[in-house]
Amino acid sequence: MANLTSHIHCQNCSMAALCLPYQLDQEGMNRLDTIIQRHKPLHKRDVLVNAGAPLKYLYAVRSGSLKSYTIDDNGVEQIIDFHLPGDLVGFDALAEGQHRSYSQALETTMLCEVPIVSLDELVIEMPSLRKQMMRLMSSEIFSSKQLLGTLNNRSAHQRLAHFLVTLSDRFKARGLSSTSFRLTMTRADIGNYLGLSVETISRILSALQGEGVIDVQNKLVNIIEPARLRELAH
Amino acid sequence: MANLTSHIHCQNCSMAALCLPYQLDQEGMNRLDTIIQRHKPLHKRDVLVNAGAPLKYLYAVRSGSLKSYTIDDNGVEQIIDFHLPGDLVGFDALAEGQHRSYSQALETTMLCEVPIVSLDELVIEMPSLRKQMMRLMSSEIFSSKQLLGTLNNRSAHQRLAHFLVTLSDRFKARGLSSTSFRLTMTRADIGNYLGLSVETISRILSALQGEGVIDVQNKLVNIIEPARLRELAH
DNA sequence: CGATTGCTTGAGCGAGGTCAAGGTCAGTGG
DNA sequence: CCACTGACCTTGACCTCGCTCAAGCAATCG
């Protein structure tokens, strides 16, 4: 039994509302808790899952962050997602029963590990858990399609502004500051994700700082004019 | 009871393997059949679902095709998907219980209509149906994230080549010709989807024809050198 | 404390967007 | 059946945004 310390229980987890336990009653949470295991902490650059590996667990991010990426035919990394606390990692693996992307920690990261077989059983008996699974997957479908459209037809400035706004919103949903946060990914990661070069990312961050919209100190971002930034994202 | 004519049964549907009935036994298919209704045929430009409308049905495309799109803050249409026979429309609505995008027929289109409430009930009792739902959603998550990455870092030529290859593969999976098909969407639709201008789409199609890779006559596409086209997509 | 990785800034260039004009096709009504 | 109309497509000319190449600086890590 891995759940010996209190801080690993869903009840006490500040991410519960974004994660699997959403709208579960006390008993439901307890049942979920019994199958959830703690994963050993990842260090920066540790790889959580490899593409092609059989799907054994779904992972929930407790703290820290990860990037998911594929390696294309030319051996080039292609980042498809950044995961923050409360996010689940592994949905893309459900179809084939094996992971289709790599997931790597961007910093020290704590995870909950949910065995797929146990989850499958629980899902049968708990309609609200099933509903939340569907909800999370459906959201992911919409947001990635939305993003696709959004990025496709937008300038570099708009893309980066959009990226920052989205991050800001996600931090807010997690009870963290929406105006002041750390970029745990590198400029190259952002560029890769947004389809822009490192140089462009750097230049635009400088430009946004010059305009007084944000303040950037290395990894630290301060959004000075959130409304203005949101406008720039359109 | 809408299932009076034989051709609307899942058993006889050539798209069954791509659709909800996949890996269902005889009894499972029968049960699914009892809840599935036939939707009246859509004509070109008919709108099937509006963004914001409550989710009542999941739709399966029997024949024809649709595009799904959102309208952004500037009132601009942003195409996020094209649906071919066997595809399901409405997954993005499961999260919120209401549709998040518009879906419009690109040509005369026949649909099966699956009431969500009945589907929910069936899913509880039929593990393989649940599995297939998850599989379809998971695939959609992966493919849209994959596409995001793919398009982002690729040239206009590569994007369009990729688009044609993907269409070709999808037609093949549906038992149709992978080398000769009709583009039911306009050049503007393709451009919107790929983040390119109409002019660029037109120019590149002409260029590909000039190189002898494909032959284009209006909406009709003939892929002359599939391998070469696939190379160009990388 | 050096070495490596990550970030910034500048200069030049090319892919793809915009604007413009003309051509083609499908649907409609006479 | 044909003429008309509006939507759709193609091609050309020009210009701009963002990429590439290059060089130097800053931060992090062993």
Side-chain angles (χ1 to χ4, degrees):
Chain A
M1 189 87 170
N3 311 338
L4 293 177
T5 55
S6 76
H7 71 276
I8 199 186
H9 290 309
C10 289
Q11 285 97 325
N12 315 316
C13 181
S14 60
M15 296 303 147
L18 294 158
C19 193
L20 285 175
Y22 177 71
Q23 286 195 341
L24 255 52
D25 56 19
Q26 189 65 33
E27 198 224 326
M29 270 205 210
N30 286 337
R31 295 189 64 184
L32 187 57
D33 256 336
T34 61
I35 68 161
I36 290 182
Q37 294 160 27
R38 176 196 292 161
H39 192 278
K40 70 172 197 295
L42 297 181
H43 299 116
K44 193 173 177 174
R45 267 179 278 271
D46 282 353
V47 174
L48 176 65
V49 293
N50 283 289
L55 169 69
K56 296 208 177 104
Y57 308 98
L58 223 52
Y59 299 97
V61 183
R62 288 182 58 76
S63 66
S65 53
L66 304 101
K67 63 174 174 180
S68 288
Y69 56 94
T70 55
I71 307 281
D72 74 14
D73 321 317
N74 311 318
V76 178
E77 175 179 319
Q78 176 50 243
I79 298 175
I80 55 179
D81 222 341
F82 296 108
H83 303 283
L84 303 182
D87 288 343
L88 287 158
V89 179
F91 276 146
D92 61 2
L94 285 176
E96 312 285 333
Q98 56 180 45
H99 292 281
R100 304 182 74 167
S101 51
Y102 301 81
S103 293
Q104 187 185 40
L106 295 169
E107 59 188 317
T108 303
T109 296
M110 310 283 284
L111 298 147
C112 293
E113 194 177 79
V114 191
I116 283 290
V117 285
S118 316
L119 184 62
D120 268 350
E121 290 165 13
L122 224 52
V123 151
I124 297 173
E125 300 165 28
M126 297 171 55
S128 45
L129 180 60
R130 185 171 60 247
K131 207 164 174 189
Q132 175 63 355
M133 284 275 291
M134 293 284 187
R135 185 196 307 275
L136 290 170
M137 293 180 79
S138 170
S139 291
E140 207 156 323
I141 289 175
F142 179 72
S143 66
S144 52
K145 292 202 175 174
Q146 179 74 319
L147 182 62
L148 180 63
T150 306
L151 293 187
N152 248 346
N153 286 308
R154 280 176 172 57
S155 68
H157 273 78
Q158 291 172 316
R159 291 185 198 199
L160 189 51
H162 179 96
F163 178 74
L164 292 173
V165 167
T166 303
L167 267 189
S168 166
D169 288 345
R170 291 173 73 187
F171 283 124
K172 190 173 184 184
R174 281 154 182 79
L176 304 168
S177 169
S178 65
T179 55
S180 180
F181 47 83
R182 229 169 59 79
L183 300 172
T184 55
M185 65 294 288
T186 67
R187 307 284 194 267
D189 285 338
I190 300 174
N192 181 305
Y193 180 62
L194 296 179
L196 300 171
S197 68
V198 194
E199 294 92 329
T200 299
I201 301 296
S202 186
R203 270 187 258 272
I204 296 177
L205 285 177
S206 300
L208 287 174
Q209 181 159 30
E211 295 163 24
V213 181
I214 62 173
D215 182 66
V216 195
Q217 299 299 329
N218 302 319
K219 301 282 196 180
L220 235 61
V221 174
N222 241 293
I223 302 181
I224 299 169
E225 299 192 47
R228 181 98 191 80
L229 186 65
R230 215 167 274 273
E231 260 173 49
L232 290 173
H234 293 321
Chain B
M1 188 88 168
N3 312 338
L4 293 178
T5 54
S6 76
H7 70 277
I8 198 187
H9 290 307
C10 288
Q11 285 96 326
N12 314 317
C13 181
S14 60
M15 295 304 146
L18 293 157
C19 193
L20 285 175
Y22 177 71
Q23 286 197 340
L24 255 51
D25 57 19
Q26 188 64 34
E27 198 224 326
M29 269 205 211
N30 286 338
R31 297 188 62 183
L32 188 57
D33 255 338
T34 61
I35 69 162
I36 290 181
Q37 293 160 29
R38 176 197 292 162
H39 192 278
K40 68 171 199 294
L42 297 180
H43 299 116
K44 192 172 177 174
R45 269 178 277 270
D46 283 352
V47 174
L48 176 65
V49 294
N50 282 290
L55 169 69
K56 296 208 176 103
Y57 307 98
L58 223 52
Y59 299 97
V61 183
R62 288 181 59 76
S63 66
S65 52
L66 304 102
K67 63 174 173 181
S68 288
Y69 56 95
T70 55
I71 307 280
D72 72 15
D73 321 317
N74 312 319
V76 178
E77 175 178 319
Q78 176 49 243
I79 298 174
I80 55 178
D81 223 340
F82 296 109
H83 303 282
L84 303 183
D87 288 342
L88 287 158
V89 179
F91 277 147
D92 61 2
L94 285 176
E96 313 284 335
Q98 56 180 45
H99 292 282
R100 304 182 73 167
S101 52
Y102 300 81
S103 293
Q104 187 185 40
L106 296 169
E107 60 187 317
T108 303
T109 297
M110 310 282 285
L111 299 147
C112 293
E113 194 177 78
V114 191
I116 283 291
V117 286
S118 316
L119 185 62
D120 269 351
E121 290 164 13
L122 225 51
V123 151
I124 298 173
E125 299 165 28
M126 298 172 55
S128 46
L129 180 59
R130 185 171 58 245
K131 208 166 174 187
Q132 175 63 354
M133 284 275 291
M134 294 282 189
R135 185 196 309 274
L136 289 170
M137 294 181 78
S138 171
S139 292
E140 208 157 323
I141 290 175
F142 180 73
S143 66
S144 52
K145 292 202 175 176
Q146 180 75 318
L147 183 61
L148 180 65
T150 306
L151 292 187
N152 247 344
N153 287 307
R154 280 177 171 55
S155 70
H157 273 79
Q158 291 173 318
R159 291 184 198 201
L160 189 51
H162 179 95
F163 178 74
L164 292 173
V165 167
T166 303
L167 267 188
S168 166
D169 288 345
R170 291 173 72 188
F171 283 123
K172 189 173 184 185
R174 281 155 182 78
L176 304 169
S177 169
S178 65
T179 55
S180 180
F181 48 83
R182 228 170 60 80
L183 300 172
T184 55
M185 66 294 288
T186 67
R187 306 284 194 268
D189 285 338
I190 300 175
N192 181 304
Y193 182 62
L194 296 179
L196 300 170
S197 68
V198 194
E199 294 92 329
T200 299
I201 301 296
S202 187
R203 269 187 258 271
I204 295 177
L205 285 177
S206 301
L208 287 174
Q209 181 159 30
E211 293 164 27
V213 181
I214 63 173
D215 183 64
V216 196
Q217 300 298 330
N218 304 318
K219 300 282 196 181
L220 236 59
V221 173
N222 241 295
I223 302 181
I224 299 169
E225 298 191 48
R228 181 98 190 79
L229 186 65
R230 214 166 275 272
E231 259 173 50
L232 289 173
H234 294 320

